[in-house]
Amino acid sequence: MTSQFAATQNDDHLEKTLDPVIGALVRDIIGKVADKWTMLILEALDQHGTLRFTEVGRQVGDISQKMLTKTLRQMEYDGLVEREVHPVIPPHVDYRLTEIGRELSDAFCGVWIWAERYQAQIEGARQAFDKRKAG
Amino acid sequence: MTSQFAATQNDDHLEKTLDPVIGALVRDIIGKVADKWTMLILEALDQHGTLRFTEVGRQVGDISQKMLTKTLRQMEYDGLVEREVHPVIPPHVDYRLTEIGRELSDAFCGVWIWAERYQAQIEGARQAFDKRKAG
DNA sequence: CAGTATCCCTTGGGATACTG
DNA sequence: CAGTATCCCAAGGGATACTG
């Protein structure tokens, strides 16, 4: 804990911080999973079921090979995707969501809908903010 | 578009990428909002209603003043939080969620629940991954 | 095809010090 | 109290080249 906001020890009437209720592992998981590329890949695999490496990249669109590899590895590590290698030449590798990957995709669904629904309002808020600062 | 996975032009039978259906602005919004600190602050303000600058930091726990300021500014810019300055000495600044901030918090709720529910399974997947690579 | 390795620049993010 | 400003290091992330 190196936070500049740690509660003082004798202030025991203070409400607890998020730490105890949320837990370090959950925070770590959120840190890994609340990521743009993860969300995009989750979405792509959720829509298409099974995709090859290159197909995932094509579906996501604007992603470099490096980030695609890295994000897929992390997702595999966390058990969100299954990776199936067909030992043929040229190589053929399939990716698909696991059960918990699908569940996470479902959980993020609400966030996608939120972003879609309020994009105009967010744009408005940004312009209002700029105008406020300028004026 | 600098992706290495762009569909070739004459392959018009290919399924469309996520780009047209998701949209650049929505992707940008997700990029801003799918962030560990944003999620934690959203959660803190959702639980407590209104908090002062320092209180937000204390509730989040392990956040530096720099990231707290920066994240709160971005959230204000996007219209997720309202910032109310009381012109007194010493300064007093209140933060609270806007309507769309609360909606986003709700949308993220499913992700928190997912992380909470599957943390053991994720830990298991990680250990299995390590063992697979080691063995 | 499905990567890995390298280079190199940008951003994230903590620590510390200072200010109205 | 609620910030800004500065320094500095680590991680993100694109481009290119190479490999089984």
Side-chain angles (χ1 to χ4, degrees), chain B residues 35-37 62-67 70 91:
Chain B
D35 168 73
K36 172 189 172 187
W37 297 131
D62 194 15
I63 187 172
S64 68
Q65 198 176 34
K66 177 178 170 180
M67 288 317 294
K70 190 177 177 182

Side-chain angles (χ1 to χ4, degrees), chain A residues 58-128:
Chain A
R58 192 164 351 99
Q59 292 302 323
V60 170
D62 193 15
I63 187 171
S64 69
Q65 199 176 33
K66 176 177 170 181
M67 288 316 295
L68 182 57
T69 303
K70 190 176 177 183
T71 309
L72 281 171
R73 280 294 164 283
Q74 178 70 48
M75 292 173 75
E76 190 193 356
Y77 183 61
D78 292 337
L80 305 183
V81 300
E82 269 173 332
R83 178 171 175 270
E84 186 183 1
V85 182
H86 299 90
V88 295
I89 293 174
H92 182 135
V93 180
D94 282 329
Y95 290 91
R96 72 182 63 84
L97 295 185
T98 61
E99 181 54 31
I100 78 171
R102 272 188 299 277
E103 302 259 8
L104 179 57
S105 182
D106 289 351
F108 270 127
C109 191
V111 182
W112 284 111
I113 292 171
W114 176 91
E116 186 75 42
R117 178 173 300 158
Y118 293 113
Q119 52 179 318
Q121 202 164 330
I122 291 165
E123 253 305 296
R126 289 175 176 178
Q127 288 173 17

Side-chain angles (χ1 to χ4, degrees), chain B residues 6-103:
Chain B
T8 50
Q9 292 80 348
N10 49 358
D11 248 349
D12 53 17
H13 72 282
L14 284 171
E15 306 182 48
K16 59 191 174 330
T17 70
L18 261 33
D19 262 316
V21 30
I22 291 185
L25 179 55
V26 171
R27 285 174 77 125
D28 170 70
I29 291 169
I30 292 292
K32 296 287 158 47
V33 133
D35 168 73
K36 172 189 172 187
W37 297 131
T38 304
M39 285 185 67
L40 257 357
I41 292 176
L42 229 33
E43 188 74 5
L45 288 173
D46 196 43
Q47 276 176 37
H48 296 90
T50 297
L51 291 174
R52 299 177 63 166
F53 180 79
T54 312
E55 291 174 329
V56 178
R58 192 164 351 99
Q59 292 303 323
V60 169
D62 194 15
I63 187 172
S64 68
Q65 198 176 34
K66 177 178 170 180
M67 288 317 294
L68 182 57
T69 303
K70 190 177 177 182
T71 309
L72 281 171
R73 280 293 165 284
Q74 179 70 47
M75 291 173 76
E76 190 193 355
Y77 183 60
D78 293 336
L80 305 183
V81 299
E82 269 173 333
R83 178 171 176 271
E84 185 183 0
V85 182
H86 300 91
V88 294
I89 293 174
H92 182 136
V93 180
D94 283 329
Y95 290 92
R96 72 181 63 85
L97 295 185
T98 61
E99 181 55 31
I100 79 172
R102 273 188 298 276
E103 302 258 7

Side-chain angles (χ1 to χ4, degrees), chain A residues 103-104 106-108, chain B residues 105-116:
Chain A
E103 302 259 8
L104 179 57
D106 289 351
F108 270 127
Chain B
S105 182
D106 289 351
F108 270 128
C109 190
V111 182
W112 285 112
I113 293 172
W114 176 92
E116 187 76 41

